[in-house]
Every structure is written in structure tokens, then in C-alpha cells.
Amino acid sequence: MKSWWIALLACALACPQPTVAADHAAYLLRPQQVWNGTDATAHAGWAVLVRDGAIVSVGPAGGIDAGDAQRVDLPGTTLVPGLIDLHSHLFLHPYNETLWNDQVLKEPEAYRTLEAAQHARDTLLAGFTTLRDLGTEGAGYADVSVKRAIDEGMIPGPRLFVATRAIVATASYGPGPRGFRPDIDLPSGAQAVSGIDGVLQAVREQAGHCADWIKVYADYRVGADGSTQPTFTPAEMRALVEAVHLSGREVSAHSASDAGMRIAVEAGVDTIEHGYGGSAATFKLMHDRGVAYLPTLTAVESTEEYFNHYVPGSPSTPKMQEAEHAFRTARAAGVTIGCGSDVGVFRHGDNWREPTWMVRLGMTPVEALRACTSVAAKILRQQDHFGRIVPGLRADLVAFDGDPTTDIAALRHPVFVMKDGVVYRKP
């Protein structure tokens, strides 16, 4: 055990620590109204004072002593906390441009890293100031370098929480092996392991390479008929979760089947991704154990459009109906639901599509905004750093034309973006 903690300490010292790239200027932001990330409505006539990258004051504009702060007028806008997407893939781009297999097999890692930098910029300018990036899909540990480049101010992008390679069961994830010659040694979209020893080694390797979260595929399309089935045993999953939690990290579990979800939840994972096949009983278990849910509704819509002839605006396909039912079931069970879109399957910068789907399926615009701000920050265990507009938190602030607290479609129109007190977009 002593050697395990020494290894963890060495990992912490080796991983680059985030650098706050704050602009030391002071700004007084004067939108039409401010929504602080928690309240039921936006507050007309409020302003926000930012200094040294932090929120200093928020409230009625007449009551804020701005001093020498630079005034930024944002008429007709609503200022909200920087938005958060908890399920992204910066190293992927839409499958109707290039199929997933071809991205992993044919696009060099260096090229994919340059693409990821462009995707990060597009995301930030769209008003999403934080991403949890859940796997490089065959690009190794390149997400750690993209995160470092953003933190050091080399490239613009959201603050990143990265999962590096992700962990899958042997022969369960692509490319192949099904559909390829058995004598071909293919690169994999994730780190393939078997057995408790293999699982522990993968956790330690990814932690040692500076993963913030560990992602595991609790199930995949491994059934004899191509159906989604669990890929890790309960014992393997428990060992993985224990090792991750010992390291001070959290576990994200990809799962689309009820059986895979239950194994993951009972093992103690922190979030479930997708959850399309989840039963009411399993969602209740998630609620009781405090496991958050990222529904990735937009990913299903997108793949149905690419591969099953779905036309946006037409009636939902059976797969979309399954995802919609899961979302409603999770809401009925009181599960904590965050904004997680699986962007990369669709175009980076269009992350607004996920909260739009949430509203379409029953959330109010304010509930969907909370899922993308204060709730998402809490899922990340970062609620004391960002996700709300309150004094002392980092100045991640975005202004949208119109009022997204009453019309979620306003998220399509960002006009001002600030992250850590640095202005990246202005009218």
C-alpha cells in the first residue's frame, strides 16, 4: 500500500497543474439581465464586476462600485455562467464527414490533435467554457497535451477534464476485431484489458498519464446477435472503481443496457453515460446512490440522421424513442441529470443542441441551464470554482442574445465569452 501512495504522489507531481491565465484587468459587465446559475429567473438591471479573473461583485448595477474597471455594455443580452458539457470527444468529428473506423485507422494522431485544438476553439466561442472529454478514441494521451496548451494560454479552449484512453474489455471495442481479418493487429479506440490485474494496471497507467477521470465501458455490442451486453464482471468493475477512488479520481461509465448500468452503479461509479436501456428500478438505484446521468440525446439524433434516414423535425425513430424514454424515466426517479451531449459525433460548437433536447423532453429552460452550469459543476466536484455567478468563483461568463431562461434557443447566439477573466468573444 505504501508503494501505491508513493506512485500516486509521483503522478501528482508529474502532471502539469492548471495555470490560471487570468487577465489582470477589471471589467464591469452590463447586460440586460443576469442569471446566476441557480435562481428561477434572471435579474434585470444587474451587473457583474470581474477583477483578476474572479467574480468580485454581482447585483443591481447602481450598487456596484466599479472603480477603474472597463465597462462592457451588452444590451439585449442575458449573462449566464459559462456552459459545461460533460460528455465530449474533441478528437472526433461528425461521422457523416468521416466514419469512426476511418478516423481511428486512417487519420494520424498529429492531425487529430490539430483538429482537437480547432474543436476546442469552436467550443469556447460557442459559450461552453468547460468540457469533460471522455476519451481520445485512439489518439492515446494527446488530450493531456491539448489541456496543457489551453491552460498555458498557447491555444484558446475550454477548461478540460480529460479521460485519456478509456478502458474497455478485451476484444469488445473497435475498430474490429469483428469484420476484419483475424491476423491484423489493429489500433484500438480505447485501452483493452481483461481480469482484475489488467483493470488495475490500466487505471494506474491512465492515472500516471494525468487522466482527471477514468472512463470505463460497462457494456458494448458484444452479444452473439450484436446486442449490447455487459463486458466486465461485477468483480472487475468493483476493483476498477476502488482503484480509481483511491487515487482521488471519479469514474464515468459508458452503459447502454440495464444490466451493464446496474453492474456499474452497484460497483460505485460516479456517472452513467447514455443509459438508453435503463429501467425505472435502475434509475431509482442511481438516485439512491447519488450517481449522475448524462443522457447524450443529441448523439442518438445525429447517428439516426446519418445512418437511418432520420430527418430533423420528423417523428422520432425507435432508437430515439428509447433514449427519450430513458431521459423521462431518470427525471421521474429524481436522478441528477447533467448536460452531456457526446459532441464529436456531431459538430463541435453545436453543443447547444443537448439542452434544447432536454427542454423538448420536459425540462424547463432554467432546469436545462442548471444542468449545463451549477449542476454540471457539482458533478465535476468543482462547484466551489465555477458554474455560478457569485463572488469568489472564477469569471467564466457568457452573454447570449435574448433570454435562454425562457427560450432555450437563445443559446445558439453567443455574443460575449469570458473564461478565467479573459475575453475571447465580444460584440
Side-chain angles (χ1 to χ4, degrees):
M1 183 60 72
K2 182 178 179 182
S3 61
W4 167 238
W5 285 110
I6 291 173
L8 285 178
L9 177 61
C11 165
L13 294 174
C15 293
Q17 299 303 303
T19 302
V20 177
D23 184 342
H24 293 288
Y27 297 92
L28 180 67
L29 308 181
R30 297 170 55 92
Q32 179 172 314
Q33 56 186 4
V34 174
W35 182 71
N36 64 6
T38 56
D39 288 355
T41 59
H43 300 276
W46 277 23
V48 178
L49 179 62
V50 172
R51 195 181 300 275
D52 295 336
I55 298 166
V56 174
S57 183
V58 56
I64 296 177
D65 181 6
D68 61 350
Q70 177 182 338
R71 285 161 172 76
V72 180
D73 291 322
L74 299 165
T77 70
T78 302
L79 190 74
V80 307
L83 302 181
I84 302 169
D85 192 333
L86 292 178
H87 192 128
S88 69
H89 292 284
L90 287 176
F91 288 80
L92 293 177
H93 56 97
Y95 300 166
N96 63 340
E97 296 175 358
T98 306
L99 294 174
W100 185 88
N101 268 3
D102 288 341
Q103 293 184 48
V104 177
L105 292 173
K106 297 179 180 179
E107 293 182 352
E109 184 176 316
Y111 177 79
R112 296 183 68 195
T113 303
L114 292 170
E115 281 189 311
Q118 179 63 47
H119 297 156
R121 176 184 180 276
D122 294 342
T123 302
L124 179 63
L125 294 182
F128 283 78
T129 57
T130 298
L131 292 183
R132 186 181 59 157
D133 203 62
L134 290 180
T136 61
E137 305 290 340
Y141 301 104
D143 53 352
V144 176
S145 294
V146 172
K147 174 182 176 178
R148 178 180 175 181
I150 292 171
D151 287 345
E152 294 179 355
M154 186 184 302
I155 60 173
R159 63 180 80 243
L160 294 184
F161 294 81
V162 299
T164 68
R165 300 177 64 191
I167 297 172
V168 295
T170 300
S172 67
Y173 197 59
R178 184 178 299 181
F180 290 84
R181 285 176 46 168
D183 59 334
I184 294 178
D185 185 16
L186 295 166
S188 177
Q191 186 170 358
V193 299
S194 287
I196 290 176
D197 288 345
V199 163
L200 295 179
Q201 179 176 341
V203 168
R204 291 166 183 168
E205 286 179 0
Q206 293 190 18
H209 283 87
C210 304
D212 299 306
W213 280 66
I214 300 296
K215 181 184 180 182
V216 60
Y217 282 73
D219 56 30
Y220 212 67
R221 298 184 289 271
V222 297
D225 58 352
S227 61
T228 299
Q229 303 293 339
T231 51
F232 286 107
T233 67
E236 289 172 321
M237 190 66 73
R238 286 194 300 270
L240 181 146
V241 172
E242 181 182 14
V244 174
H245 286 170
L246 274 174
S247 77
R249 293 171 172 81
E250 287 80 33
V251 183
S252 159
H254 164 114
S255 185
S257 71
D258 190 62
M261 289 172 66
R262 182 162 286 270
I263 288 173
V265 172
E266 289 178 342
V269 303
D270 300 281
T271 67
I272 291 288
E273 319 298 316
H274 314 303
Y276 306 137
S279 66
T282 297
F283 279 118
K284 181 180 184 302
L285 183 65
M286 287 176 59
H287 168 267
D288 293 346
R289 298 202 176 184
V291 179
Y293 177 45
L294 291 312
T296 63
L297 300 163
T298 312
V300 185
E301 178 192 38
S302 300
T303 55
E304 288 298 276
E305 182 180 352
Y306 304 157
F307 306 122
N308 286 323
H309 312 294
Y310 170 72
V311 177
S314 62
S316 297
T317 67
K319 286 185 177 180
M320 292 169 65
Q321 291 169 13
E322 181 186 43
E324 292 164 10
H325 176 74
F327 179 81
R328 292 189 173 106
T329 304
R331 281 198 76 212
V335 174
T336 296
I337 300 176
C339 176
S341 68
D342 215 353
V343 66
V345 175
F346 61 98
R347 192 176 73 92
H348 294 276
D350 284 353
N351 310 61
W352 55 265
R353 291 172 58 182
E354 188 71 12
T356 300
W357 261 110
M358 291 176 165
V359 171
R360 194 176 302 166
L361 297 182
M363 278 188 172
T364 66
V366 167
E367 287 175 321
L369 285 172
R370 289 186 187 127
C372 296
T373 55
S374 55
V375 171
K378 190 172 182 180
I379 293 171
L380 283 172
R381 283 57 166 173
Q382 297 294 316
Q383 65 269 26
D384 294 331
H385 300 285
F386 53 81
R388 295 169 293 146
I389 304 180
V390 298
L393 270 61
R394 303 308 303 168
D396 291 2
L397 303 163
V398 183
F400 295 94
D401 264 333
D403 184 2
T405 69
T406 59
D407 179 10
I408 201 69
L411 296 184
R412 300 182 64 174
H413 307 293
V415 297
F416 176 87
V417 177
M418 171 182 281
K419 188 195 79 174
D420 260 337
V422 178
V423 177
Y424 290 91
R425 181 173 194 157
K426 57 185 178 182

